[in-house]
Amino acid sequence: MSSVEYITRSADETIRLGRDLASELKHLRMVILHGDLGAGKTTLVKGIAEGLNAGSQDDVTSPTFTLIHEYRGPDVTLYHVDLYRIDTERELATLGLDELFASEGNLVVIEWGEKFPRLVAECDGEIRIERVGELERKIVVTAVPAV
């Protein structure tokens, strides 16, 4: 497993990092985003969506209440999922995530996916966002090697 660490000092830098990471992430199937409330997970996804030409940063909002947002790009469809309000495997099963994982050309980015060990075991990558100051974030991107 290889990890790369980044430091961003503003929301704009976090969005720019997301844009830069999009070219690497587009080949993955599922990425779990780790971070406390307000850490900047959705801010990073704004940049990923822009980098995939799937949506502008103004289009991307937190899926906390809708659970899944879809952003269609020319090559990749980005699904931004928030499992904060999902507590059981049964609730998780009703979301249809397995169908999203199985479809070519989909990248599923999941907030709070660490709540479900099955998702952690099946993910292709993880991004950890840690607040280290008012605006400063430490972002660690880990790619899971293919077996």
Side-chain angles (χ1 to χ4, degrees):
M1 223 174 334
S2 61
S3 295
V4 180
E5 181 178 309
Y6 303 91
I7 298 292
T8 63
R9 292 176 176 80
S10 68
D12 287 340
E13 283 186 19
T14 301
I15 290 169
R16 192 167 35 253
L17 175 61
R19 276 195 302 264
D20 293 344
L21 290 173
S23 63
E24 298 173 40
L25 298 176
K26 73 179 183 180
H27 304 291
L28 303 180
R29 183 177 49 89
M30 179 191 359
V31 175
I32 294 178
L33 290 179
H34 299 266
D36 293 334
L37 289 171
K41 297 180 296 292
T42 296
T43 302
L44 186 69
V45 173
K46 288 174 180 278
I48 294 169
E50 283 192 348
L52 296 173
N53 295 313
S56 75
Q57 60 185 277
D58 293 333
D59 296 331
V60 177
T61 58
S62 175
T64 299
F65 296 102
T66 56
L67 305 179
I68 301 175
H69 285 170
E70 176 183 351
Y71 304 98
R72 290 189 176 273
D75 300 316
V76 176
T77 299
L78 172 65
Y79 290 92
H80 182 197
V81 179
D82 189 326
L83 301 180
Y84 183 76
R85 297 169 7 119
I86 301 298
D87 294 318
T88 67
E89 283 287 340
R90 183 182 189 113
E91 290 174 311
L92 182 66
T94 66
L95 298 180
L97 295 181
D98 289 329
E99 291 82 15
L100 299 180
F101 302 147
S103 297
E104 281 293 314
N106 287 351
L107 169 60
V108 183
V109 177
I110 304 175
E111 297 186 27
W112 305 101
E114 68 272 14
K115 292 169 55 176
F116 298 94
R118 174 179 74 89
L119 295 179
V120 173
E122 294 177 10
C123 77
D124 301 308
E126 296 184 66
I127 300 174
R128 295 180 184 278
I129 303 174
E130 179 184 342
R131 182 181 294 155
V132 292
E134 174 102 14
L135 298 173
E136 192 169 328
R137 303 293 187 264
K138 178 171 85 170
I139 300 170
V140 178
V141 180
T142 303
V144 178
V147 181

